[in-house]
Amino acid sequence: MAKKTMRDIDLSNKRVLCRVDFNVPIKDGRITDDTRIRESLPTIRYILEQRGTRLILMSHLGRPKDQPELAYCLKPVAQRLSELLARPVVMAADCVGTQVEAQAKALSEGEVLLLENVRFHK
């Protein structure tokens, strides 16, 4: 059975939700190894090269307990990704809810939204 890849799908003029592995080591609020972020760049760039796409990224980071923990916030990842892409990456305050949904709907062509750590919700 042939598997489809994103190259088999017309992504033009779509909002694309992409699961990425941004589970990177962070110490004192600084990323100590950005390998996983850099490895995601070909996929992210491919999506953004498609006409009219708006990209929403989701990931987990670490193993927070029963509630959000500042040590596992994805904000440093958004900042590093923005540097690597040479374009702004908007950081959502959460990964669910009406505010996040509104942010996703408000994206313009070529914009990137990184949702907050999905492990902040059981």
Side-chain angles (χ1 to χ4, degrees):
M1 172 169 49
K3 292 184 180 182
K4 285 189 176 185
T5 70
M6 79 171 90
R7 295 182 191 280
D8 298 317
I9 301 168
D10 180 14
L11 300 176
S12 58
N13 298 310
K14 298 214 173 32
R15 253 188 331 244
V16 178
L17 177 64
C18 182
R19 170 68 165 86
V20 288
D21 183 2
F22 287 162
N23 191 25
V24 296
I26 297 179
K27 184 174 182 173
D28 300 324
R30 297 183 153 233
I31 296 170
T32 59
D33 181 0
D34 68 355
T35 301
R36 290 182 176 182
I37 299 170
R38 286 184 286 109
E39 287 176 349
S40 71
L41 291 176
T43 299
I44 292 169
R45 286 186 177 129
Y46 175 79
I47 293 168
L48 292 172
E49 288 168 359
Q50 307 313 299
R51 182 177 42 86
T53 56
R54 292 149 331 266
L55 180 57
I56 304 157
L57 299 171
M58 60 187 289
S59 182
H60 76 274
L61 177 62
R63 295 198 180 274
K65 302 276 190 251
D66 296 328
Q67 60 188 357
E69 296 179 39
L70 187 58
Y72 300 114
C73 175
L74 285 167
K75 189 171 185 175
V77 173
Q79 292 169 340
R80 181 63 182 137
L81 181 60
S82 179
E83 293 168 5
L84 292 168
L85 289 174
R87 71 170 69 205
V89 173
V90 178
M91 181 69 207
D94 205 343
C95 60
V96 295
T98 55
Q99 182 181 1
V100 175
E101 187 176 333
Q103 279 183 289
K105 286 182 179 178
L107 288 174
S108 296
E109 178 179 337
E111 288 187 325
V112 180
L113 174 67
L114 175 61
L115 304 182
E116 184 54 276
N117 192 342
V118 297
R119 287 192 174 164
F120 284 175
H121 296 273
K122 287 185 179 186

